[in-house]
Amino acid sequence: NGQPIKIPGFIVPVEFNDEQIVTQFFLVPFFGACIHVPPPPPNQIIFVEYQEGLKLESLYEPFWLSGVLETTLVENDIATSSYSLKLHHYENYYDY
């Protein structure tokens, strides 16, 4: 809790801004989690708020996320998460 981390995963959009840029999302360990199959357990999902937003070209693209991890319970219609991340940086998984 409160530690900086770098973690890979897939993005499941939760909220968009007016330009269709993703501002809230879940980071999940595999493609299709929360969309095509039941969500993973809360300890495998990270909720991320990113006001600057990111343009998501495809749900198939994995990303590396860097930021500070917090233990917080976030529940909504898509999934429940035991963690949240204060995002500092993201990059395409394959560019790493």
Side-chain angles (χ1 to χ4, degrees), residues 1-5 46 66-71 84-88:
N1 190 30
Q3 295 296 308
I5 66 164
I46 301 173
S66 300
V68 177
L69 189 69
E70 303 287 339
T71 54
S84 63
L85 183 74
K86 294 180 182 176
L87 186 62
H88 294 287

Side-chain angles (χ1 to χ4, degrees), residues 35-66:
I35 297 172
H36 301 295
V37 297
N43 66 338
Q44 293 182 11
I45 302 174
I46 301 173
F47 178 74
V48 181
E49 280 190 283
Y50 189 51
Q51 294 305 315
E52 293 177 38
L54 62 92
K55 185 157 179 69
L56 187 60
E57 299 291 328
S58 169
L59 295 175
Y60 298 101
E61 292 181 38
F63 287 88
W64 281 102
L65 301 184
S66 300

Side-chain angles (χ1 to χ4, degrees), residues 77-88:
D77 294 339
I78 297 174
T80 300
S81 171
S82 296
Y83 303 100
S84 63
L85 183 74
K86 294 180 182 176
L87 186 62
H88 294 287

